[in-house]
Amino acid sequence: MTAAPTYADELRSVARHFGRRHFLTVTGSAAALAFAVNLPGAGTAAAAELDARRITDDPFTLGVASGDPLPGSVLLWTRLAPRPYETGGGLPTGTRVDVAWELAKDERFTRGLRRGTAIAHPEFDHSVHVEVEHLAPGTDYFYRFRAGSWTSPVGRTRTAPAAGARNTSLKLAAVSCQAYPDGYFTAHRHLAQEDVDVVFHLGDYIYEYAVPSTAADRAYEPGTLPDVFDHETVSLEDYRLRYALYKSDPDLMAVHAAHPFVVTWDDHEAEDNYAAGIPQNDQSPEEFLIRRAAAYRAYWENQPLRRPQRPLGTDMKLYRRLTFGRLAQFDVLDTRQYRSDQVYGDGWQLPGPLVDDPSRTLTGATQERWLVDGWRASRARWNVLPQQVMFSERRNLATAAYKLSMDAWDGYRASRRRVLDGAAAAGVENLLVLTGDVHVAFAMDIKEDFGDPSSRTVGTEIVTTSVSSGRNGADRPANHATLMRANPHMRFYNGRRGYAKVTLGLESARVDFRTVSAVTTPGAPVTTAASFVTEAGNPGLTPA
């Protein structure tokens, strides 16, 4: 059972970021901060218990999900919201609800049945996170929830192989960037039908921008989308409602019910291009940290994440490590919460000396040490790095006047150099980087020296396109020829929507770039735009 957070814990965490006097100047008072982040205030009475039999509308409107599979454990998630576009999901204010859960080896729930009860706390917006332990490794399970007379949809999940298992195959998918008003989540519908063991969501699960009540690229019926979404997310309630909008999408619900997810954020879960505690827009750092605390809290509430990831105030430790037998180790990064501010005004800029400043970091020193130490201890055939922004160099022109993205690893070249040196020192032979963010698909050879095309290839980067962000896109965007010429390590570039499917084996890894022809109309078919293979012990991509 997950304990409700205390107001004192939340308040102390936010106050740590600035002195007491400045803290009170900014927030006005403890009560003002509690209002801003919408947390239970000091002296708030314990939540009253609501008899689930009194819930008259289906509370499972946001579906079910599972995540972070371990060899003997799975994390199950749901959130009660009979009226998801209302504050508190339409449940009475300040009430907690008992939710029953069941897990079995078959969809009829007759074999290996496990069951229990969890509490949906109002402090967590009636979300439920159940960590089921003592399960068989590498095994499919089915799960569901009950509240009163209501039963949730059935979800399927899978535990990871045993730590020392000599497994020979693993199928995964990578997705990112699903702007709701840009189009339908058709890619998720197709991914729900794929045979994969786990899905990695690499960020921009929601977008903070206003969602108008009528949008050009989704066929809303007039009046079906309330205007509560027609402003940028700032408060905890804003972020909670935005997740309700996204998670009520039937295609997103389908893919969550079909596969376990491993999630990490990028920027839009809080604010575009923020860096650590530094906002993009004209806002004080103190005010932004309050906003960030709200964003992080809503993120945890709405994702299949375990207890160690539960936020405390403004902070949330999202980077973590998962292993799938002896075949793969996944080091999931957070490149937003600890990064140095972008230089030269952010965006695409001419690279100057600051991009090579060793004092600047994309991961923070603690996370960087954790990553390299994990590589030293790894015995996996493939070391996979699920993370957010472009890792390989990406020049916009094939001339000396090229620009680089200051928001990607190109803006933090010393940080990238340390990571690559750490991989080399640890003896990592099969480095595979999974990336999102850019709304297009790339296949990249990671070079020892990007300035020298003949230098050694030290890894592979697979960049998944967006689910919907950027609308329909094109197979060959207008800058296709320019980017391919400017970046000889770039093996593939496609601008359609979709996902990347990766199959890891003992001898090689294969990536299939799966794309849909349109997202502004529902039901588009999925095709494979290209396939590549990289051999174990011989990094670099070749067409399959």
Side-chain angles (χ1 to χ4, degrees):
M1 185 176 70
T2 304
T6 67
Y7 173 74
D9 287 340
E10 302 283 356
L11 192 62
R12 279 194 295 269
S13 178
V14 178
R16 280 201 308 268
H17 288 273
F18 21 87
R20 173 179 172 82
R21 180 174 297 178
H22 194 192
F23 167 65
L24 292 176
T25 300
V26 171
T27 62
S29 66
L33 178 63
F35 177 79
V37 191
N38 194 22
L39 300 177
T44 299
E49 184 171 355
L50 173 66
D51 187 341
R53 291 174 297 182
R54 295 177 56 193
I55 300 176
T56 57
D57 297 316
D58 182 6
F60 298 109
T61 57
L62 306 181
V64 299
S66 68
D68 279 17
L70 301 178
S73 173
V74 293
L75 185 286
L76 309 180
W77 174 94
T78 194
R79 178 179 149 208
L80 304 184
R83 294 187 296 280
Y85 299 165
E86 296 181 10
T87 298
L91 291 172
T93 302
T95 56
R96 67 183 187 273
V97 183
D98 285 344
V99 179
W101 59 267
E102 295 177 320
L103 181 140
K105 292 183 178 180
D106 65 310
E107 289 184 271
R108 298 178 62 188
F109 292 84
T110 60
R111 294 190 296 113
L113 182 65
R114 300 274 298 277
R115 55 164 56 99
T117 302
I119 298 176
H121 289 284
E123 292 87 352
F124 292 136
D125 208 23
H126 296 103
S127 63
V128 175
H129 297 71
V130 178
E131 298 184 34
V132 187
E133 307 288 351
H134 309 297
L135 300 176
T139 302
D140 287 338
Y141 290 95
F142 298 88
Y143 62 96
R144 64 189 177 191
F145 297 89
R146 297 183 187 275
S149 62
W150 300 98
T151 302
S152 75
V154 174
R156 170 198 166 274
T157 190
R158 184 176 179 84
T159 54
R166 296 187 178 276
N167 48 323
T168 60
S169 179
L170 176 66
K171 297 177 182 179
L172 64 96
V175 296
S176 72
C177 304
Q178 49 195 43
Y180 188 90
D182 280 11
Y184 293 92
F185 295 167
T186 308
H188 281 319
R189 176 63 61 175
H190 290 296
L191 180 53
Q193 304 302 317
E194 295 270 18
D195 177 18
V196 297
D197 298 296
V198 62
V199 176
F200 288 84
H201 199 296
L202 304 175
D204 295 344
Y205 192 97
I206 65 166
Y207 281 70
E208 80 279 23
Y209 305 137
V211 178
S213 57
T214 57
D217 296 312
R218 277 211 181 211
Y220 303 151
E221 293 294 329
T224 59
L225 192 64
D227 58 10
V228 295
F229 307 111
D230 200 2
H231 64 273
E232 186 165 328
T233 55
V234 176
S235 69
L236 178 57
E237 188 59 30
D238 290 338
Y239 286 106
R240 285 171 165 172
L241 286 170
R242 191 60 52 89
Y243 279 103
L245 173 63
Y246 278 62
K247 294 186 80 70
S248 64
D249 179 274
D251 294 336
L252 183 56
M253 284 196 287
V255 74
H256 271 301
H259 309 300
F261 267 58
V262 176
V263 300
T264 188
W265 54 38
D266 192 18
D267 50 347
H268 288 289
E269 287 87 352
E271 182 191 41
D272 184 33
N273 280 19
Y274 80 93
I278 303 168
Q280 181 196 45
N281 297 316
D282 186 19
Q283 186 181 35
S284 74
E286 293 83 2
E287 291 172 318
F288 176 69
L289 281 173
I290 293 173
R291 176 181 180 177
R292 199 184 82 171
Y296 286 9
R297 185 181 181 92
Y299 184 82
W300 187 84
E301 290 173 346
N302 286 280
Q303 299 291 6
L305 288 164
R306 294 177 180 269
R307 279 189 295 270
Q309 278 63 62
R310 196 175 82 185
L312 181 61
T314 63
D315 305 319
M316 179 172 167
K317 186 180 177 183
L318 194 58
Y319 65 87
R320 59 208 189 277
R321 179 170 295 121
L322 299 110
T323 59
F324 283 67
R326 294 287 296 272
L327 187 62
Q329 174 173 297
F330 296 92
D331 295 288
V332 184
L333 294 191
D334 173 1
T335 63
R336 280 293 160 192
Q337 189 173 185
Y338 314 106
R339 67 161 62 192
S340 305
D341 196 11
Q342 298 93 338
V343 293
Y344 304 121
D346 204 353
W348 286 84
Q349 305 292 343
L350 294 170
L354 289 177
V355 302
D356 296 307
D357 182 350
S359 69
R360 299 182 64 253
T361 176
L362 196 64
T363 62
T366 300
Q367 184 178 192
E368 185 180 296
R369 286 193 300 271
W370 166 86
L371 174 62
V372 175
D373 288 346
W375 280 339
R376 290 195 186 103
S378 174
R379 297 296 179 266
R381 174 63 62 99
W382 297 94
N383 285 279
V384 187
L385 195 63
Q387 54 96 53
Q388 296 76 14
V389 294
M390 284 290 303
F391 188 84
S392 300
E393 184 174 86
R394 184 176 43 133
R395 301 183 181 189
N396 74 325
L397 294 173
T399 69
Y402 67 85
K403 293 181 179 180
L404 300 173
S405 171
M406 296 298 106
D407 190 56
W409 287 85
D410 278 340
Y412 303 79
R413 291 196 300 208
S415 191
R416 180 170 63 198
R417 182 74 268 152
R418 288 193 299 271
V419 167
L420 289 177
D421 288 347
V428 172
E429 293 184 349
N430 301 307
L431 175 62
L432 180 62
V433 178
L434 301 179
T435 300
D437 182 55
V438 290
H439 308 171
V440 296
F442 291 122
M444 314 280 275
D445 289 345
I446 301 173
K447 307 298 286 187
E448 189 174 47
D449 179 2
F450 287 106
D452 178 7
S454 65
S455 70
R456 191 166 60 99
T457 299
V458 295
T460 301
E461 182 174 15
I462 303 302
V463 183
T464 182
T465 186
S466 63
V467 170
S468 63
S469 303
R471 300 177 174 85
N472 292 331
D475 288 319
R476 291 200 166 208
N479 65 348
H480 184 276
T482 300
L483 284 195
M484 293 293 287
R485 186 168 58 251
N487 301 281
H489 54 282
M490 185 181 290
R491 303 303 185 198
F492 175 70
Y493 174 22
N494 182 282
R496 291 290 186 190
R497 308 295 146 242
Y499 52 93
K501 181 180 176 181
V502 180
T503 302
L504 301 178
L506 290 176
E507 304 302 325
S508 65
R510 175 190 174 107
V511 57
D512 296 302
F513 290 100
R514 304 279 278 161
T515 60
V516 296
S517 57
V519 294
T520 55
T521 55
V526 66
T527 59
T528 299
S531 299
F532 291 85
V533 170
T534 180
E535 296 178 353
N538 184 27
L541 290 157
T542 57

